[in-house]
Coordinates of all heavy atoms in Angstrom, one line a residue:
R10 N -12.3 7.5 22.5 CA -12.0 7.9 23.9 C -11.5 9.3 24.0 O -11.9 10.1 24.9 CB -11.0 7.0 24.5 CG -11.6 5.7 24.9 CD -10.5 4.9 25.7 NE -10.9 3.5 26.0 CZ -10.7 2.8 27.1 NH1 -10.0 3.4 28.0 NH2 -11.1 1.6 27.2
C92 N -2.9 6.8 31.0 CA -3.0 5.3 31.3 C -1.5 4.8 31.4 O -0.6 5.5 31.3 CB -3.8 4.6 30.2 SG -3.2 4.8 28.5
R93 N -1.4 3.5 31.6 CA -0.1 2.8 31.8 C 0.0 1.6 30.8 O -1.0 1.0 30.6 CB 0.0 2.3 33.2 CG -0.3 3.3 34.3 CD -0.4 2.7 35.6 NE -1.7 2.1 35.9 CZ -1.9 1.1 36.8 NH1 -0.9 0.6 37.5 NH2 -3.1 0.5 36.9
K116 N -1.5 -5.9 21.5 CA -1.7 -5.1 20.3 C -0.4 -4.4 20.0 O -0.2 -3.9 18.9 CB -2.8 -4.0 20.6 CG -4.2 -4.4 20.7 CD -5.1 -3.1 20.9 CE -5.3 -2.9 22.3 NZ -6.5 -2.0 22.6
Y117 N 0.5 -4.3 20.9 CA 1.7 -3.5 20.8 C 2.9 -4.5 20.6 O 3.8 -4.6 21.4 CB 1.9 -2.7 22.1 CG 0.8 -1.8 22.4 CD1 -0.2 -2.2 23.3 CD2 0.7 -0.6 21.7 CE1 -1.3 -1.3 23.6 CE2 -0.4 0.3 22.0 CZ -1.4 -0.1 22.9 OH -2.4 0.7 23.2
N138 N -5.8 -7.9 18.1 CA -6.3 -6.5 17.8 C -7.2 -5.9 18.8 O -7.6 -4.7 18.8 CB -7.0 -6.5 16.4 CG -6.1 -6.8 15.3 OD1 -5.1 -6.1 15.1 ND2 -6.3 -7.9 14.6
G139 N -7.7 -6.7 19.8 CA -8.5 -6.2 20.9 C -8.9 -7.3 21.8 O -8.5 -8.4 21.7
S140 N -9.7 -6.9 22.8 CA -10.1 -7.9 23.9 C -8.9 -8.7 24.3 O -9.0 -9.9 24.5 CB -11.2 -8.8 23.4 OG -12.3 -8.0 22.9
I141 N -7.8 -8.0 24.6 CA -6.5 -8.7 24.9 C -6.7 -9.6 26.2 O -6.0 -10.6 26.3 CB -5.4 -7.7 25.1 CG1 -5.4 -6.6 24.0 CG2 -4.0 -8.3 25.2 CD1 -5.1 -7.1 22.7
E142 N -7.5 -9.1 27.1 CA -7.6 -9.8 28.4 C -8.2 -11.2 28.3 O -8.0 -12.0 29.2 CB -8.6 -9.0 29.3 CG -8.1 -7.6 29.8 CD -8.2 -6.5 28.8 OE1 -8.7 -6.8 27.7 OE2 -7.7 -5.4 29.0
I153 N -0.5 -10.6 29.3 CA -0.8 -9.7 28.3 C 0.1 -8.5 28.5 O 0.6 -8.2 29.6 CB -2.2 -9.2 28.2 CG1 -2.7 -8.5 29.5 CG2 -3.2 -10.4 28.0 CD1 -4.0 -7.9 29.5
F154 N 0.4 -7.7 27.4 CA 1.1 -6.4 27.5 C 0.1 -5.4 26.9 O -0.1 -5.5 25.7 CB 2.4 -6.5 26.7 CG 3.2 -5.2 26.6 CD1 3.8 -4.7 27.8 CD2 3.3 -4.5 25.5 CE1 4.5 -3.5 27.7 CE2 4.0 -3.3 25.4 CZ 4.6 -2.8 26.6
D155 N -0.5 -4.6 27.7 CA -1.6 -3.8 27.2 C -1.7 -2.5 28.1 O -1.1 -2.4 29.1 CB -2.9 -4.6 27.3 CG -4.0 -4.0 26.5 OD1 -3.7 -3.2 25.6 OD2 -5.2 -4.3 26.7
V156 N -2.6 -1.6 27.6 CA -2.8 -0.4 28.3 C -3.8 -0.6 29.4 O -4.8 -1.4 29.2 CB -3.3 0.8 27.5 CG1 -2.1 1.4 26.7 CG2 -4.4 0.4 26.6
V157 N -3.6 0.0 30.6 CA -4.5 -0.1 31.7 C -4.9 1.4 32.0 O -4.0 2.2 32.3 CB -3.9 -0.8 32.9 CG1 -4.9 -0.8 34.1 CG2 -3.4 -2.2 32.5
Q158 N -6.2 1.6 32.0 CA -6.6 3.0 32.3 C -7.2 3.0 33.7 O -6.6 3.3 34.7 CB -7.5 3.6 31.2 CG -7.7 5.1 31.4 CD -8.2 5.7 30.1 OE1 -9.1 5.2 29.4 NE2 -7.8 6.9 29.8
T159 N -8.5 2.6 33.8 CA -9.2 2.5 35.1 C -8.8 1.2 35.8 O -9.0 1.1 37.0 CB -10.7 2.6 34.9 OG1 -11.1 1.5 34.1 CG2 -11.1 3.9 34.2
G160 N -8.4 0.2 35.0 CA -8.2 -1.1 35.6 C -9.4 -1.9 35.7 O -9.4 -3.1 36.1
S161 N -10.6 -1.4 35.2 CA -11.8 -2.1 35.4 C -11.9 -3.4 34.4 O -12.5 -4.4 34.8 CB -13.0 -1.2 35.2 OG -12.9 -0.5 34.0
T162 N -11.3 -3.3 33.3 CA -11.3 -4.5 32.4 C -10.5 -5.6 33.0 O -11.0 -6.8 33.0 CB -10.8 -4.1 31.0 OG1 -11.4 -2.9 30.5 CG2 -11.1 -5.2 30.0
L163 N -9.3 -5.3 33.5 CA -8.5 -6.3 34.2 C -9.4 -7.0 35.3 O -9.5 -8.2 35.5 CB -7.3 -5.8 34.8 CG -6.1 -5.4 33.8 CD1 -4.9 -4.9 34.6 CD2 -5.7 -6.6 33.0
K164 N -9.9 -6.1 36.2 CA -10.6 -6.5 37.4 C -11.8 -7.4 37.0 O -12.0 -8.5 37.6 CB -11.1 -5.3 38.2 CG -11.5 -5.6 39.6 CD -11.8 -4.4 40.4 CE -12.4 -4.7 41.7 NZ -13.1 -3.7 42.3
Ligands
LIG1 C1 -8.3 -0.9 26.0 C2 -7.3 -1.9 26.5 C3 -8.0 -2.6 27.7 C4 -8.9 -1.5 28.2 C5 -8.2 -0.9 29.4 O1 -9.1 -1.5 25.2 O2 -6.9 -2.8 25.5 O3 -8.7 -3.6 27.2 O4 -8.9 -0.5 27.2 O5 -9.1 0.1 30.0 P1 -9.5 0.1 31.5 O6 -8.3 -0.1 32.3 O7 -10.1 1.5 31.7 O8 -10.5 -1.0 31.7 P2 -10.2 -0.8 24.3 O9 -11.3 -0.3 25.2 O10 -9.5 0.3 23.5 O11 -10.9 -1.9 23.4 P3 -10.2 -3.1 22.6 O12 -10.3 -4.3 23.5 O13 -11.1 -3.2 21.4 O14 -8.8 -2.8 22.2

Side-chain angles (χ1 to χ4, degrees):
R10 284 188 190 217
C92 57
R93 309 169 281 157
K116 287 184 265 196
Y117 303 97
N138 292 302
S140 302
I141 314 297
E142 292 79 1
I153 63 172
F154 177 69
D155 197 17
V156 285
V157 178
Q158 192 164 38
T159 61
S161 53
T162 313
L163 286 183
K164 196 169 173 205

